[in-house]
Amino acid sequence: MFSWASKDGRRKKDPELFQTVSDGLRRLYRNKLLPLEDAYRFHDFHSPALEDADFDNKPMVLLVGQYSTGKTTFIRHLMEQDFPGMRIGPEPTTDSFIAVMYGEQEGVVPGNALVVDPKKPFRKLNAFGNAFLNRFMCAQMPNPVLESISIIDTPGILSGEKQRISRGYDFAAVLEWFAERVDRIILLFDAHKLDISDEFSEVIRALKNHEDKMRVVLNKADQIETQQLMRVYGALMWSLGKIVNTPEVVRVYIGSFWAQPLLVPDNRKLFEAEEQDLFRDIQGLPRNAALRKLNDLIKRARLAKVTARRRAARLRPLAGVVPACLTPPLSLSPPQVHAYIISSLKKEMPNVFGKDNKKKDLIANLGEIYLKIEKEHQISPGDFPNLKKMQELLATQDFSKFQSLKPKLMEAVEDMLANDIARLMTLVRQEEAAMPSQAVKGGAFEGTMNGPFGHGYGEGAGEGIDEIEWVVGRDKPNYDEIFYTLSPVNGKVSGASAKREMVKSKLPNTVLGKIWKLADVDKDGFLDDEEFALANHLIKVKLEGHELPADLPPHLVPPSKRGTAQ
């Protein structure tokens, strides 16, 4: 009756204290979310229960693509080393899921042994049976890249007649299981075959709730000319747009991710830039791992809540008025649909006779119940589980074993989302600040970090970095002609005079202001002939499409200012 009284009592309790984000997530899941999942058989409908290893494991990268798109080669390129069980060829060669992970000794752990290891986050995969486990293994090796991340290689997605041959296990369901737990999903496409088979379409749809983790790689792009590449890129985006039904454009990285010479080197700079962008994305995974796990726990709680409320919404239009303590206030997060659906079905079931017929009616009318819940609670249609899949799962369930609604379980999840998550967010930022340099190292990630083969080395503001002569001096005679037309006083031009010349570049004031700050080396508010030449050189750098440096590089400091620059 007085639901506010219990809420105030909760607020007066001392908040839980967590040592680490992983510890906090584990305890919140065990104490507040897992009881709700168990009560309403969430694991039978959506996702297996989480274990300690799910909170402690390293970030994982899942590679998905049709056969011969370069998934295994991509892994080898990242690590710059072969891994146990690796097979590369033009036809389907990787017929297994291979978890490439760090280990002191190189070797392979077969699937049946892997799923009983409590230190690995794969125990719940035993639900997919021996047909899958015989096609699952862990390749362990002491590689520096694997000290920070783990990589999941997958069988090539089949096309044409090949896809009609049954794998013996639910391939899309396995990928969906991994998608829920990994930090990044990389879809690889071959620039020579963009056809998206039926199985590939099914896989992409299975990943549709994880678009935030998804990246696309257009691989083997060095094998086609620039004009063809533009057409291929457009065709890929068009194909993806039909399957990934979101208004946002999926990030596509273009390149050739292996250590062989480029067949068509015309787009070398593009490939280098794309590779660096992708590498930075992967390197940031360890730093953002805690936040990703927190985000996934919130998504899981929302799904558990959404499923709960759906059932309650059925309870309302079908069974009359719901007590006030069961009515979620408008300020609450999205409805606990799963628990409400289950409790509503329980409420509608007769005590003795006609159970089978009533069960069939409820399943058949599930779509109408969804609509009633959507209107009653203003729930987004996207928060509801797939109707057909839910009907199939309900058909195998015993409705008499379903639980009635338990408000305390719902309130515990609400409290977790409203209060505990906010405290964990603060702890996430503290952990990030304590480990600012945490990133993937080793392998291909080291190849372009330093030295003359780093991306952009010797270009833009880096031009002339290795030269003895001042690089600006090449064009200084031309800049001097302009300089002396500005009537310098005591060998310097004022800011106003320099501005009249600099604005002719049509660059915005924000950019010109930064150029002025870099060029006025002695910070006296005037520019001498060398500083004026430097300003024009930086304008040229910007007009050619390069970024300006945050600080003036030593090789750009005018010769007369070296040793005195502030």
Side-chain angles (χ1 to χ4, degrees):
M1 180 175 177
F2 298 103
S3 59
W4 55 267
S6 61
K7 291 179 184 178
D8 284 348
R10 284 201 317 276
R11 289 184 185 130
K12 291 178 182 178
K13 291 181 180 179
D14 293 332
E16 291 192 68
L17 298 177
F18 308 121
Q19 298 298 321
T20 65
V21 174
S22 295
D23 173 63
L25 291 172
R26 186 186 303 107
R27 287 165 57 186
L28 287 179
Y29 177 71
R30 285 179 181 173
N31 299 334
K32 296 191 175 182
L33 185 54
L34 183 58
L36 179 71
E37 293 182 355
D38 286 337
Y40 297 102
R41 313 181 83 171
F42 178 85
H43 311 129
D44 295 336
F45 288 86
H46 299 289
S47 178
L50 300 178
E51 298 191 335
D52 288 350
D54 291 305
F55 299 104
D56 298 329
N57 68 295
K58 298 173 184 176
M60 293 192 291
V61 178
L62 176 68
L63 300 183
V64 181
Q66 293 177 270
Y67 71 90
S68 193
T69 54
K71 297 186 299 298
T72 305
T73 303
F74 182 86
I75 298 175
R76 201 224 172 276
H77 177 58
L78 290 184
M79 300 193 307
E80 295 183 341
Q81 182 181 355
D82 292 348
F83 59 88
M86 185 186 81
R87 293 169 60 203
I88 297 176
E91 280 298 303
T93 49
T94 303
D95 61 350
S96 302
F97 283 80
I98 304 178
V100 187
M101 309 182 76
Y102 184 84
E104 294 296 337
Q105 300 295 325
E106 184 172 318
V108 172
V109 180
N112 284 284
L114 193 58
V115 295
V116 297
D117 186 351
K119 296 182 180 179
K120 296 287 192 298
F122 306 122
R123 285 164 59 91
K124 297 299 181 179
L125 283 169
N126 59 9
F128 292 101
N130 282 328
F132 165 72
L133 296 180
N134 291 335
R135 291 287 181 266
F136 180 45
M137 68 178 72
C138 176
Q140 293 183 319
M141 57 190 304
N143 185 281
V145 173
L146 301 178
E147 292 180 2
S148 303
I149 61 172
S150 300
I151 308 173
I152 311 297
D153 195 9
T154 63
I157 295 172
L158 305 177
S159 59
E161 291 295 327
K162 300 185 186 72
Q163 66 183 316
R164 297 193 176 100
I165 302 174
S166 174
R167 295 180 184 271
Y169 60 91
D170 192 335
F171 181 67
V174 173
L175 286 177
E176 186 175 4
W177 186 95
F178 276 107
E180 291 179 359
R181 291 158 176 80
V182 301
D183 297 72
R184 186 67 73 237
I185 303 168
I186 298 180
L187 298 179
L188 283 95
F189 290 86
D190 187 332
H192 280 91
K193 52 178 184 181
L194 294 183
D195 60 304
I196 299 180
S197 65
D198 293 342
E199 186 176 48
F200 203 178
S201 298
E202 181 184 359
V203 165
I204 295 176
R205 292 190 183 99
L207 305 177
K208 70 176 183 177
N209 293 324
H210 308 283
E211 291 94 343
D212 57 321
K213 302 178 180 180
M214 196 179 298
R215 303 291 185 270
V216 175
V217 169
L218 180 57
N219 202 14
K220 304 183 181 181
D222 69 311
Q223 299 179 14
I224 54 180
E225 303 286 345
T226 301
Q227 188 176 19
Q228 293 176 309
L229 181 60
M230 292 175 61
R231 291 173 177 165
V232 168
Y233 177 80
L236 174 61
M237 298 304 294
W238 181 79
S239 299
L240 287 173
K242 294 194 301 181
I243 301 174
V244 183
N245 190 23
T246 60
E248 296 83 10
V249 177
V250 180
R251 178 63 166 97
V252 178
Y253 299 90
I254 304 172
S256 191
F257 294 89
W258 65 341
Q260 299 299 318
L262 300 177
L263 295 181
V264 181
D266 299 354
N267 299 306
R268 183 187 189 99
K269 287 187 177 180
L270 170 64
F271 298 159
E272 288 176 355
E274 292 287 280
E275 183 178 60
Q276 288 302 307
D277 284 351
L278 179 58
F279 281 6
R280 278 193 293 269
D281 184 72
I282 295 175
Q283 284 183 297
L285 295 180
R287 185 171 59 254
N288 300 319
L291 188 59
R292 191 276 303 171
K293 292 173 184 176
L294 179 61
N295 183 63
D296 283 356
L297 184 68
I298 296 172
K299 287 167 61 175
R300 187 180 181 98
R302 286 169 60 93
L303 178 59
K305 290 179 12 176
V306 167
T307 313
R309 274 190 198 168
R310 284 175 194 167
R311 293 168 191 171
R314 291 178 201 169
L315 183 146
R316 239 184 254 176
L318 299 178
V321 179
V322 178
C325 63
L326 304 187
T327 306
L330 293 177
S331 61
L332 291 183
S333 51
Q336 294 159 327
V337 177
H338 184 80
Y340 275 112
I341 290 177
I342 294 296
S343 60
S344 178
L345 293 174
K346 173 68 174 180
K347 183 77 173 181
E348 291 302 309
M349 288 297 292
N351 293 326
V352 183
F353 301 108
K355 292 185 178 181
D356 290 340
N357 290 334
K358 186 62 176 178
K359 173 182 174 179
K360 293 178 182 178
D361 290 342
L362 289 172
I363 294 175
N365 295 323
L366 193 58
E368 296 178 10
I369 296 171
Y370 276 19
L371 290 175
K372 291 177 181 178
I373 300 171
E374 181 183 337
K375 294 177 181 178
E376 183 73 17
H377 297 282
Q378 294 79 46
I379 302 173
S380 169
D383 282 339
F384 287 77
N386 180 272
L387 177 62
K388 183 178 179 181
K389 183 178 179 181
M390 193 69 176
Q391 288 173 323
E392 293 175 354
L393 292 170
L394 285 171
T396 62
Q397 297 291 323
D398 183 354
F399 284 22
S400 64
K401 295 182 179 179
F402 286 173
Q403 296 281 341
S404 299
L405 195 66
K406 297 181 178 180
K408 289 185 177 180
L409 294 179
M410 306 284 279
E411 290 171 359
V413 176
E414 294 293 354
D415 181 62
M416 179 188 80
L417 293 174
N419 301 305
D420 298 313
I421 293 298
R423 289 192 288 273
L424 273 182
M425 281 295 296
T426 302
L427 191 56
V428 166
R429 299 306 178 196
Q430 293 174 353
E431 287 191 358
E432 288 179 348
M435 298 181 294
S437 61
Q438 189 176 21
V440 182
K441 298 180 180 179
F445 297 101
E446 301 294 329
T448 58
M449 293 298 292
N450 301 298
F453 294 98
H455 177 62
Y457 188 91
E459 301 174 2
E463 183 183 1
I465 189 171
D466 296 326
E467 298 179 14
I468 299 176
E469 299 295 329
W470 188 39
V471 66
V472 181
R474 298 174 186 171
D475 298 317
K476 189 173 181 296
N478 297 328
Y479 300 144
D480 283 347
E481 292 181 10
I482 302 173
F483 177 78
Y484 288 110
T485 65
L486 301 178
S487 303
V489 177
N490 297 325
K492 295 186 177 184
V493 296
S494 66
S497 298
K499 177 181 177 180
R500 285 194 295 270
E501 183 62 32
M502 292 171 68
V503 295
K504 293 179 181 179
S505 67
K506 299 182 180 180
L507 290 172
N509 284 349
T510 52
V511 175
L512 292 176
K514 184 174 182 179
I515 290 174
W516 172 271
K517 183 178 179 180
L518 293 171
D520 185 14
V521 180
D522 54 15
K523 311 302 179 189
D524 63 352
F526 295 86
L527 298 182
D528 62 21
D529 61 321
E530 289 183 332
E531 292 173 325
F532 182 79
L534 174 60
N536 280 275
H537 178 78
L538 293 174
I539 288 174
K540 177 186 174 184
V541 166
K542 188 62 180 177
L543 290 176
E544 290 177 348
H546 301 286
E547 293 299 320
L548 295 172
D551 299 299
L552 189 66
H555 73 280
L556 288 183
V557 176
S560 65
K561 303 291 192 301
R562 293 178 183 178
T564 62
Q566 298 178 7

